[in-house]
Amino acid sequence: MKGHIPDILLARFVDGTASPSDKRRVESHIKACPDCRREAADGRSARDLLVRAGNVRLMPSFDEAFLYRLRQEEIGREISGTSFLNRLMDRVSFSIFMEPVRLRVAAVAAAILVAIAASIPLLPARQPVIVASAGKSEIFNAEVGRWVRAGLDGTVRRGDIIRVSGSGHLDIALGNVYTVRIEGGSEAVATRPNAGWVRRNMKFSLARGEMLVGTGKSFGKRAFEVDTAAALATATGTFFKVSVVGEEETLVQVKEGTVSLRSKFGIETEESLVKISPGKKSAVMPGRLPEPARPMTEYEIQSLSSAYRNMGFERAEIETSPDGEAVSLILPKGPERVDELLRPCSILVKNAPGEVIRLIEESQRLANSQDYSGAVRKLHEVLARHPDPRYNSELKLYLGAQLYSLLHEPDKAIAEFEDVAKHGKKEWRSLALAAIAEILDRSARENRSEAKKVFKEIMNTYPDYPESQLARRRLKNM
Amino acid sequence: MGIRTSTTTDPALVKKAQGGDKDAFVQLYDMYKVRIMNYVYRTIGDYQVAEEVTQETFIKAHRHIRRYRPTGTFSAWLYRIASNLSKNTLRNLHRRGFRRSISTIGEGRDIWEAVENHSTRPDYAAQQKELYSRIQKALGKIRMPHRETLILHDIEGLSYSDVARITGCKEGTVASRLSRGRREFKKLMAVHQIRKTGDEQ
């Protein structure tokens, strides 16, 4: 062998993996070359030391922390709202320090940024709000660190956990961007409830139950994602429903637009992605590939459509009164708005006098604590002490709905609706009449003929209002 | 002592985990957590960061377990994830202006597994732990490709082909990195020894 032993051969010789001929060559060389003899001995002793290196001990909390993260991973990937790197940064600050020069540069940069930030007005971060609620819903507010009751107009922030119990529902809307309905018996996480300044996709994670997504005209080119244990459904501006059923099976039904459903486990192949077009559905079990998209049944299509109408999407938008209005009723556009009114619907109070706002808020609080007569009393108080044509009609409709649905006083409810139908704002008259007809139709059989009369009156007097469609349909069935 | 025991993974267990069986995955995690933590800690040199990276390795493995193909060993696949994450983490920390304080890590903290005491000498365990810390300090000063190869081959006991697969290089490169790494390591340990004897005198 000329010169010294090459590194490649030396390592194999030290490890005893050199071929017999290489081994003989090296052995004869090191007999004559003291440098290579020392190299081989050093290599061997280094390796022997490293082989004896001890094991690092795992802290007792290691497993617990990992299993917690694994669980979070299964529910929805970004529940804690912190990325791996952020989590890491929180921890390294104890053991790693900044270099002084960099620190100075960072301080100067921070000062410049603060100066720039102070000179421009801060844009308000837009948060989605609760626009309708039925039954009991709770939100785990990540900032406060506890469960709070989900009330109307409450905001939903990133990382909030939303739990809707029983047969209720909770509607959350971000302006005209989207509205989601979380059905009773569901638990969801607002993983990324708004797109933020960087216009990323919006995302909710669904642990169990059902969630309906409807996007509005301001949705733009972003995507809305619903994440479950088994799959990720991504849609760019559309109407779809995601359900987590049975053993974490994820079912997606599409009303409009196209939804990409991707199985979360395994390699991303053509098979792990299914595109679901309108009127079709697909399902994924955890760890399996998604089923090919297949048509929904007639019943499924019907119930999905009615769910969206119920949510306030005649096709897409929720109709609220113009911004200048003091009191707005949150109702869908179509002929089914009377159903929503009688549920009872939600109310939004904006530009009313302070006393009125306070009384209405008190009324809502009482209704939430199931003191319905107290709630109705407060509404009467507003109407008696602060009558104002700007909001009387809306309040009376709201009062009538409460009397009917919560206190089960159909006669008193009809009295309020009659008042609106005769003296109220023109745009609400047909709705008030429809409410009367509905109450009559739903009550004793002998009232059916009365209901028929009211429906006929609607058709004759308000042919251009959505209630006339409802009336026509009802009369046909009667 | 270094982990030379080659854990043979039951392919059926991996298959179960690929089918979404969480218990099977947790069994795999139990099998490999110490090995991965060892590797990551030795590569990064910070215990807390290593804990995070090790957990992230298994979370990533869980997320993508169906991408694993049994052409290589399951452990090599895991090491590869851990290797990429460790390197990315170090890069990110540097980029954010952080300087690793690798040489001081581990001092004053009992992070080493209790030593099995085969000796009658009472200070045996303490001496062993001292040796482990010295090894770690020396490793921290070796260049990354060499350090990684030493850890994977000499400490973790992986074959040349597995190391090549994990580090993305040829077996010849693994061999030459081993020789150079061992040379550096030997020198650093000798320097440490000289300093120590100097201090004692």
Side-chain angles (χ1 to χ4, degrees):
Chain A
M1 189 179 288
K2 276 183 189 173
H4 296 300
I5 307 169
D7 281 339
I8 295 180
L9 196 51
L10 184 69
R12 290 194 182 277
F13 176 73
V14 168
D15 290 327
T17 53
S19 67
S21 65
D22 281 346
K23 197 179 158 198
R24 274 196 302 278
R25 275 168 60 211
V26 174
E27 275 169 349
S28 68
H29 175 80
I30 60 176
K31 267 181 199 160
C33 175
D35 285 350
C36 286
R37 195 159 54 237
R38 201 176 48 246
E39 278 282 332
D42 280 356
R44 204 168 279 134
S45 93
R47 189 205 58 191
D48 290 348
L49 259 177
L50 286 166
V51 167
R52 285 165 60 201
N55 282 352
V56 172
R57 193 160 62 136
L58 288 180
M59 294 299 153
S61 57
F62 188 86
D63 284 342
E64 202 186 321
F66 173 71
L67 293 173
Y68 175 73
R69 281 184 61 186
L70 192 64
R71 232 178 5 252
Q72 278 196 325
E73 164 82 6
E74 283 175 339
I75 297 175
R77 278 179 193 156
E78 289 171 52
I79 282 179
S80 63
T82 51
S83 72
F84 164 61
L85 202 62
N86 290 342
R87 224 170 23 240
L88 199 68
M89 284 318 200
D90 289 344
R91 301 197 66 173
V92 292
S93 53
F94 294 103
S95 53
I96 291 171
F97 27 83
M98 246 180 158
E99 287 173 70
V101 177
R102 292 216 187 199
L103 196 63
R104 273 202 296 278
V105 172
V108 171
I112 293 169
L113 279 178
V114 166
I116 294 170
S119 65
I120 51 169
L122 271 182
L123 297 168
R126 203 171 170 208
Q127 302 287 357
V129 291
I130 297 166
V131 292
S133 163
K136 194 183 162 206
S137 310
E138 289 175 306
I139 288 192
F140 186 83
N141 185 308
E143 275 176 30
V144 190
R146 63 186 166 85
W147 289 97
V148 290
R149 213 188 148 88
L152 280 181
D153 290 345
T155 50
V156 176
R157 293 193 166 77
R158 186 179 174 142
D160 281 356
I161 304 171
I162 303 143
R163 212 183 259 167
V164 185
S165 54
S167 56
H169 65 251
L170 191 75
D171 290 2
I172 298 165
L174 180 70
N176 266 335
V177 180
Y178 68 80
T179 303
V180 295
R181 167 166 292 187
I182 299 165
E183 295 284 8
S186 305
E187 185 174 318
V189 180
T191 313
R192 207 184 300 122
N194 54 13
W197 291 359
V198 275
R199 303 212 144 220
R200 297 201 326 175
N201 293 350
M202 283 147 297
K203 188 172 181 180
F204 275 71
S205 301
L206 185 67
R208 60 187 159 85
E210 292 181 349
M211 188 171 158
L212 285 108
V213 180
T215 53
K217 62 184 172 193
S218 312
F219 189 75
K221 283 179 180 170
R222 289 156 291 193
F224 196 101
E225 297 177 334
V226 180
D227 195 28
T228 69
L232 179 69
T234 310
T236 40
T238 186
F239 293 79
F240 67 108
K241 176 179 170 183
V242 182
S243 327
V244 175
V245 284
E247 288 183 3
E248 297 188 330
E249 183 183 10
T250 298
L251 176 72
V252 176
Q253 299 175 330
V254 181
K255 180 175 179 265
E256 265 186 51
T258 308
V259 175
S260 307
L261 183 68
R262 187 183 291 282
S263 154
K264 254 193 206 171
F265 292 80
I267 334 144
E268 285 175 12
T269 59
E270 277 177 24
E271 288 170 329
S272 67
L273 179 79
V274 164
K275 292 215 177 218
I276 314 167
S277 48
K280 292 195 172 174
K281 61 179 178 181
S282 172
V284 196
M285 286 289 281
R288 307 252 180 89
L289 292 170
E291 286 173 5
R294 58 199 157 94
M296 291 197 280
T297 63
E298 192 55 39
Y299 174 74
E300 282 169 332
I301 294 172
Q302 290 290 332
S303 55
L304 193 61
S305 301
S306 86
Y308 275 107
R309 272 199 302 276
N310 200 296
M311 251 172 98
F313 287 102
E314 173 49 22
R315 199 211 74 82
E317 310 300 340
I318 279 186
E319 182 192 31
T320 50
S321 308
D323 278 353
E325 295 290 328
V327 172
S328 322
L329 296 174
I330 297 178
L331 292 172
K333 265 184 181 169
E336 275 79 10
R337 63 180 182 168
V338 65
D339 286 338
E340 185 63 28
L341 173 72
L342 291 176
R343 191 174 285 276
C345 71
S346 305
I347 191 167
L348 210 76
V349 189
K350 275 185 206 155
N351 303 323
E355 172 74 2
V356 172
I357 295 178
R358 191 183 61 77
L359 283 169
I360 294 176
E361 275 176 357
E362 262 176 45
S363 160
Q364 284 181 339
R365 224 179 351 262
L366 289 169
N368 282 342
S369 55
Q370 299 188 346
D371 178 3
Y372 301 127
S373 42
V376 165
R377 214 169 32 243
K378 291 284 169 200
L379 292 177
H380 275 301
E381 217 177 308
V382 180
L383 286 164
R385 283 166 51 185
H386 305 277
D388 187 329
R390 285 186 303 142
Y391 54 73
N392 278 357
S393 302
E394 285 87 351
L395 264 191
K396 277 184 192 226
L397 285 172
Y398 186 60
L399 174 63
Q402 295 225 331
L403 282 165
Y404 174 68
S405 310
L406 305 178
L407 282 180
H408 310 293
E409 302 248 28
D411 295 340
K412 286 185 184 171
I414 288 175
E416 296 296 338
F417 291 133
E418 270 182 345
D419 195 28
V420 177
K422 282 182 189 150
H423 315 290
K425 283 184 200 162
K426 210 172 170 191
E427 69 253 41
W428 295 121
R429 288 184 184 177
S430 65
L431 178 65
L433 281 177
I436 296 168
E438 277 295 310
I439 294 173
L440 290 170
D441 192 32
R442 290 178 196 178
S443 63
R445 193 169 267 276
E446 57 266 27
N447 289 335
R448 291 273 163 86
S449 55
E450 287 294 314
K452 221 171 176 173
K453 270 188 210 159
V454 182
F455 278 131
K456 275 183 185 157
E457 188 187 336
I458 294 171
M459 276 188 67
N460 296 331
T461 326
Y462 305 103
D464 298 333
Y465 282 77
E467 280 68 33
S468 72
Q469 281 179 48
L470 174 84
R472 192 177 306 121
R473 215 154 52 210
R474 285 296 159 85
L475 287 170
K476 214 168 145 188
N477 293 338
M478 272 173 166
Chain B
M1 299 291 111
I3 314 149
R4 291 238 137 209
T5 46
S6 67
T7 322
T8 46
T9 318
D10 182 4
L13 199 60
V14 177
K15 210 158 199 181
K16 267 190 193 171
Q18 286 183 317
D21 184 337
K22 192 180 158 188
D23 290 340
F25 183 79
V26 173
Q27 276 188 54
L28 288 170
Y29 156 81
D30 276 332
M31 254 180 211
Y32 291 107
K33 62 184 176 188
V34 179
R35 295 179 68 183
I36 297 296
M37 177 65 188
N38 251 312
Y39 165 69
V40 175
Y41 170 66
R42 291 186 186 288
T43 310
I44 293 180
D46 183 291
Y47 190 84
Q48 290 186 317
V49 177
E51 272 189 329
E52 281 295 336
V53 173
T54 305
Q55 294 198 353
E56 189 67 15
T57 300
F58 283 101
I59 292 289
K60 276 226 153 96
H62 178 256
R63 205 177 286 164
H64 302 298
I65 193 157
R66 288 207 14 206
R67 284 189 198 174
Y68 164 69
R69 289 280 167 267
T71 44
T73 60
F74 183 70
S75 60
W77 186 70
L78 273 182
Y79 277 116
R80 171 118 203 183
I81 299 175
S83 162
N84 289 338
L85 268 176
S86 301
K87 284 180 215 161
N88 285 345
T89 303
L90 282 177
R91 206 173 301 134
N92 275 321
L93 291 176
H94 280 300
R95 202 174 291 155
R96 284 170 182 234
F98 287 102
R99 174 165 59 88
R100 280 181 307 123
S101 57
I102 218 162
S103 54
T104 58
I105 298 303
E107 278 184 358
R109 289 191 58 192
D110 190 14
I111 57 162
W112 301 107
E113 200 64 86
V115 182
E116 281 180 48
N117 197 352
H118 299 299
S119 160
T120 47
R121 286 171 57 189
D123 57 346
Y124 177 77
Q127 269 185 12
Q128 285 301 304
K129 285 186 181 176
E130 159 73 16
L131 174 71
Y132 299 161
S133 291
R134 274 177 52 205
I135 293 174
Q136 182 55 34
K137 275 182 200 171
L139 276 175
K141 288 179 184 154
I142 296 175
R143 278 181 294 163
M144 184 51 104
H146 297 177
R147 187 196 312 167
E148 192 182 32
T149 313
L150 286 186
I151 297 167
L152 288 170
H153 183 269
D154 287 352
I155 302 183
E156 300 292 310
L158 298 182
S159 67
Y160 279 45
S161 59
D162 274 349
V163 178
R165 199 169 292 138
I166 294 163
T167 54
C169 61
K170 288 180 183 164
E171 284 188 34
T173 315
V174 172
S176 64
R177 281 179 185 174
L178 269 179
S179 280
R180 286 172 203 162
R182 284 169 183 164
R183 201 175 291 136
E184 269 183 80
F185 178 73
K186 181 73 188 169
K187 259 187 213 155
L188 287 163
M189 290 298 276
V191 168
H192 189 90
Q193 196 61 40
I194 292 163
R195 272 199 198 141
K196 207 163 184 260
T197 31
D199 291 348
E200 277 162 9
Q201 279 165 5

